[in-house]
């Protein structure tokens, strides 16, 4: 029998009683949660990044939920695209046809997440963006933010939300263009470079 050295704190792994919950990794993840775009759609983009704590360390057990309009700026009203096996109830994946605009992604062991979705179209006076909801350990209330895509500087400058922010804070909401339809968007929960989070009333 192997014995664990518990004589000092660095040798003891955290347990739920040592860590502020809630814990999301047991029932909420599902395979392919970030595969939001229909297969082969020409307006597919990939958004990826890291969820980071106040010290800049990645969080391996966070969730990122995305919602976005279609390329024409319409909010999808299609029912869910997730299929289940009628006999077992097991998850079979998305049907690859309907675009619901929604996805849920768990960060991996390195705190990384990614989603394939459709490039959002503009709605009203706002520049095109994806709505984001972040769940993580230690957060008793989830956080809301946005991912704006770079490229149309006039639209970004005219966006009512972005126009209210100083440049350094504004930049935390704009993804970095990685080329070939890929964008990077890191979510910093607190500390230097903290992402702008939104409050809804």
């Amino acid at each position: 029998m192997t014995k664990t050295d518990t004589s000092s704190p660095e040798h003891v792994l955290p347990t739920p009683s040592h860590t502020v919950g809630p814990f999301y990794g047991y029932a909420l993840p599902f395979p392919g949660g970030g595969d939001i775009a229909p297969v082969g759609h020409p307006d597919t983009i990939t958004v990826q990044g890291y969820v980071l704590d106040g010290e800049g360390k990645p969080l391996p057990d966070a969730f990122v939920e995305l919602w976005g309009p279609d390329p024409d700026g319409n909010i999808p009203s299609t029912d869910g695209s997730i299929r289940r096996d009628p006999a077992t109830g097991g998850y079979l994946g998305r049907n690859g046809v309907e675009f619901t605009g929604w996805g849920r992604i768990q960060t991996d062991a390195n705190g990384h997440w990614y989603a394939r979705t459709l490039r959002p179209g503009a709605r009203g006076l706002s520049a095109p963006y994806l709505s984001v909801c972040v769940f993580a350990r230690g957060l008793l209330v989830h956080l809301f933010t946005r991912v704006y895509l770079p490229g149309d500087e006039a639209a970004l400058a005219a966006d009512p939300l972005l126009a209210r922010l100083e440049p350094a804070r504004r930049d935390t909401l704009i993804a970095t263009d990685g080329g070939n339809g890929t964008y990077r968007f890191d979510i910093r929960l607190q500390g230097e470079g903290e992402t702008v989070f939104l409050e809804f009333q």
Side-chain angles (χ1 to χ4, degrees):
M1 174 186 252
T2 303
K3 292 186 177 181
T4 302
D5 177 11
T6 58
S7 61
S8 58
E10 62 268 15
H11 296 293
V12 180
L13 295 175
T15 68
S17 64
H18 297 125
T19 309
V20 176
F23 304 97
Y24 297 102
Y26 298 110
L28 292 176
F30 57 92
D35 295 326
I36 306 166
V39 176
H41 196 290
D43 290 316
T44 299
I45 61 170
T46 299
V47 183
Q48 58 89 23
Y50 292 85
V51 178
L52 307 168
D53 66 14
E55 296 178 345
K57 295 178 180 175
L59 294 178
D61 54 359
F63 272 130
V64 176
E65 288 191 355
L66 296 179
W67 298 270
D70 67 20
D72 295 323
N74 300 314
I75 299 294
S77 58
T78 305
D79 289 340
S81 61
I82 296 172
R83 298 171 303 151
R84 294 201 174 273
D85 185 315
T88 66
Y91 177 76
L92 293 176
R94 294 185 188 263
N95 63 20
V97 179
E98 274 86 19
F99 176 66
T100 63
W102 177 84
R104 177 189 293 146
I105 310 101
Q106 183 174 12
T107 56
D108 65 16
N110 297 313
H112 185 261
W113 64 276
Y114 84 95
R116 287 177 43 262
T117 189
L118 296 184
R119 181 180 299 278
R123 292 181 49 77
L125 299 176
S126 296
Y129 67 86
L130 298 169
S131 295
V132 180
C133 186
V134 183
F135 301 81
R137 62 183 144 136
L139 292 180
L140 300 182
V141 178
H142 45 276
L143 301 172
F144 296 96
T145 189
R146 290 179 178 178
V147 180
Y148 288 90
L149 302 180
D152 188 341
E153 293 305 315
L156 293 172
D159 183 89
L161 173 63
L162 294 178
R164 294 170 35 199
L165 302 172
E166 59 187 60
R169 301 292 290 141
R170 177 181 182 267
D171 288 346
T172 69
L173 296 180
I174 302 173
T176 303
D177 191 341
N180 298 317
T182 65
Y183 298 90
R184 177 163 177 176
F185 186 77
D186 293 337
I187 301 167
R188 182 75 177 258
L189 298 183
Q190 60 182 354
E192 185 178 350
E194 177 183 323
T195 301
V196 170
F197 296 106
L198 309 177
E199 184 174 299
F200 295 98
Q201 298 178 350

